[in-house]
Amino acid sequence: AAAIAVSSLFAVALPAAADGHTGARAFDIAEKPLDGSWSIETRDDGAYIVLSDDFRTSNAPDLKIFLSQQDVNDVRDRTATNNAVLVSKLQSTSGAQEYKLPADFSKDAYTSVLIHCEQFSVFWGGANL
């Protein structure tokens, strides 16, 4: 399962409220313990995936956040990173954290945000964008 690079053909284009938030949402699928909310925020310096201070998940050795072209309902352990781009290694299994998206990120190019244990190919959970 290989992750793909984000193409420089995309432009930042996120539907957002006047304050730059897409609105905090719960995760749609939790294969492992995964609670809390997340959002995508646009700022002057780019777009971010933001995990709220209520974010909690179980520990694993290699948890990472991906943007995927797959619908979260179609994601399976070993295929989770197919047609996906790595955003970052998860900073912590609890609490507020944020991850800057590539400068050429376009919401139209991706379908979901995923949390995945890459070392053991285990899908933790995620949500459709």
Side-chain angles (χ1 to χ4, degrees):
I4 60 171
V6 176
S7 169
S8 60
L9 300 176
F10 303 123
V12 174
L14 295 173
D19 63 359
H21 290 73
T22 58
R25 299 179 28 212
F27 290 94
D28 296 330
I29 301 280
E31 297 289 328
K32 302 293 180 184
L34 180 61
D35 294 311
S37 56
W38 66 278
S39 63
I40 293 181
E41 293 183 12
T42 54
R43 302 177 186 161
D44 290 341
D45 66 338
Y48 291 79
I49 291 177
V50 178
L51 303 179
S52 300
D53 59 0
D54 63 351
F55 173 76
R56 302 278 180 275
T57 192
S58 57
N59 198 17
D62 195 27
L63 290 177
K64 295 179 179 171
I65 295 181
F66 290 86
L67 290 171
S68 176
Q69 295 177 356
Q70 298 181 73
D71 184 288
V72 74
N73 296 299
D74 297 332
V75 173
R76 302 294 177 262
D77 291 336
R78 297 209 177 274
T79 63
T81 59
N82 291 355
N83 298 315
V85 63
L86 172 65
V87 173
S88 178
K89 183 172 177 70
L90 196 67
Q91 297 166 3
S92 174
T93 57
S94 65
Q97 46 202 295
E98 58 186 45
Y99 302 91
K100 187 168 185 182
L101 298 175
D104 53 4
F105 169 75
S106 170
K107 183 177 181 278
D108 295 335
Y110 297 97
T111 304
S112 60
V113 58
L114 310 175
I115 296 178
H116 183 260
C117 175
E118 197 169 22
Q119 181 177 347
F120 294 108
S121 296
V122 177
F123 174 53
W124 236 243
N128 286 323
L129 296 178

